[in-house]
Amino acid sequence: MTKTFDHGGGVRSVAVPIPDNPLGHTLVHVVETDRGPVLVDTGWDDPASWDTLVAGLVACGTAVSEVYGVVVTHHHPDHHGLSARVREASGAWVALHAADAAIVRRARGTRPERWFTYMAAKLAAAGAPEEHVAPLRTARGRRLPGLAAALPDREIVPGELLDLPGRRLRAIWTPGHTPGHVCLHLEEEHPARLPGHGRLFSGDHLLPRITPHIGLYEDPDDATVADPLGDYLDSLERIGRLAPAEVLPAHQHTFTDASGRVRELLAHHEERLAGLLTLLAEPLTPWQLAERMEWNRPWADIPYGSRNIAVSEAESHLRRLVKQGRAEPVTGSEPVTYVAV
Ligand SMILES: [Zn+2]
Ligand SMILES: [Zn+2]
């Protein structure tokens, strides 16, 4: 069954399923413009998801062939997956921030072996045991997700209005979950006149009941020592200051009091960083830290792929603590260990 929502003021949403994923669905937001609907995100590239999107647009009183443009919050496949099909069916432009467009471009040009070599080296340096790293050394030829992701036609420029004739939709750069994640601010009075400044399409940046994954910006071709968690916390504060009347995220449900949610998340992350410092009373590799961190299940029950994500998250927290001067690498340790200062 196709689920659509009418948020008033020419904004609707279609819940597009993500196959085999506990998140359930991506909310594709449909913004009416003078030239036809503009979509914020498109959903996972899967036949059933596509059918749901197509039927959902009809339920919204339009059709996929009418779509004028596609604004993508970030390059992840549950957001950008169907962009190419929508473009094919409609001739719509597809817009993405330059930093995420660069990831799409590189993923298309990267041989899977290069990615596996990078991951094997990275995990070994993080202190992963040999039995965890070994499968990556022999994984050549496996298919990587995102290889067929659409190259965008347009760049989302932070602070600028997007091409939505008759509407005011401004891009706000919110790096952290990905380097090019953007939120989109609909600078129009709320249709129910809720207090605050317009409405915000928040992608994965600000969600009502979960926190997005913040790992490293994994990129075999970029040696920059980025601080994604620092980026994310700065981006949260930016959204808190914006104080939108209502938030329309890409998962779960709409909510008000964005500033309250931002405060909650900032407090959650500070608490988590403080908890990690306690663990770092003894020197630990990123792998050992990940093993000791709190996850939604015991470490022994975390599957292989999710452990890689967990280590990336541990590393992003270490980067933040080092940057804040609260932890430091132990000189001469190999693989490198970190300890609270
Ligand atoms: Zn995402
Ligand atoms: Zn997502």
Side-chain angles (χ1 to χ4, degrees):
M1 223 202 76
T2 307
K3 259 197 294 181
T4 60
F5 309 88
D6 188 345
H7 304 286
V11 178
R12 296 177 176 79
S13 306
V14 182
V16 176
I18 313 171
D20 305 319
N21 187 298
L23 268 181
H25 54 253
T26 304
L27 293 169
V28 172
H29 303 299
V30 184
V31 184
E32 275 173 28
T33 81
D34 295 343
R35 299 280 297 275
V38 166
L39 307 187
V40 177
D41 291 332
T42 54
W44 191 273
D45 185 9
D46 174 79
S49 309
W50 170 251
D51 291 346
T52 304
L53 177 61
V54 169
L57 288 170
V58 171
C60 289
T62 180
V64 69
S65 57
E66 298 300 309
V67 175
Y68 175 64
V70 174
V71 183
V72 185
T73 58
H74 64 297
H75 74 86
H76 285 165
D78 53 324
H79 300 258
H80 186 40
L82 284 171
S83 302
R85 284 196 80 170
V86 170
R87 178 164 61 191
E88 233 169 79
S90 60
W93 48 262
V94 174
L96 191 62
H97 184 280
D100 274 27
I103 292 175
V104 170
R105 201 170 300 116
R106 283 197 294 263
R108 291 167 63 103
T110 301
R111 297 191 343 274
E113 297 84 80
R114 176 152 171 66
W115 173 254
F116 291 123
T117 307
Y118 161 80
M119 280 302 286
K122 192 207 87 146
L123 283 160
E130 178 54 27
E131 74 260 22
H132 185 88
V133 180
L136 289 166
R137 299 197 222 279
T138 52
R140 8 182 88 252
R142 232 199 294 161
R143 194 179 160 273
L144 286 174
L147 282 181
L151 287 173
D153 312 286
R154 297 186 182 184
E155 187 178 310
I156 297 177
V157 181
E160 290 195 356
L161 288 172
L162 285 128
D163 171 22
L164 273 72
R167 314 282 316 228
R168 287 181 65 85
L169 188 69
R170 196 179 298 278
I172 301 166
W173 189 25
T174 50
H177 179 57
T178 68
H181 190 290
V182 293
C183 291
L184 290 315
H185 190 207
L186 192 58
E187 298 176 334
E188 299 167 4
E189 195 184 5
H190 190 279
R193 297 180 183 266
L194 295 180
H197 303 285
R199 289 186 275 183
L200 186 80
F201 301 105
S202 65
D204 279 356
H205 180 60
L206 191 63
L207 298 157
R209 284 179 285 118
I210 50 173
T211 58
H213 163 69
I214 311 292
L216 297 184
Y217 301 142
E218 307 288 2
D219 183 346
D221 298 311
D222 189 350
T224 314
V225 182
D227 175 16
L229 183 57
D231 291 348
Y232 175 68
L233 298 174
D234 289 349
S235 299
L236 273 182
E237 287 182 8
R238 194 169 308 142
I239 296 307
R241 285 193 295 273
L242 196 67
E246 191 175 25
V247 180
L248 289 78
H251 305 289
Q252 300 187 323
H253 53 79
T254 61
F255 60 100
T256 55
D257 193 16
S259 311
R261 182 64 182 139
V262 163
R263 282 196 299 276
E264 238 171 60
L265 287 170
L266 290 172
H268 161 83
H269 282 283
E270 182 42 45
E271 206 178 291
R272 192 150 199 226
L273 285 167
L276 298 193
L277 274 182
T278 316
L279 295 174
L280 291 170
E282 53 168 333
L284 298 173
T285 65
W287 178 274
Q288 289 168 329
L289 181 63
E291 282 179 323
R292 288 161 177 76
M293 282 167 76
E294 225 174 272
W295 304 105
N296 58 3
R297 60 202 134 168
W299 183 256
D301 299 342
I302 297 180
Y304 185 87
S306 304
R307 286 187 179 192
N308 293 340
I309 293 170
V311 171
S312 189
E313 195 147 323
E315 289 180 297
S316 73
H317 283 75
L318 284 168
R319 290 261 174 99
R320 182 89 284 257
L321 289 170
V322 169
K323 190 130 189 208
Q324 290 175 325
R326 297 160 85 186
E328 63 186 18
V330 175
T331 319
S333 54
E334 175 81 47
V336 63
T337 57
Y338 294 84
V339 69
V341 173

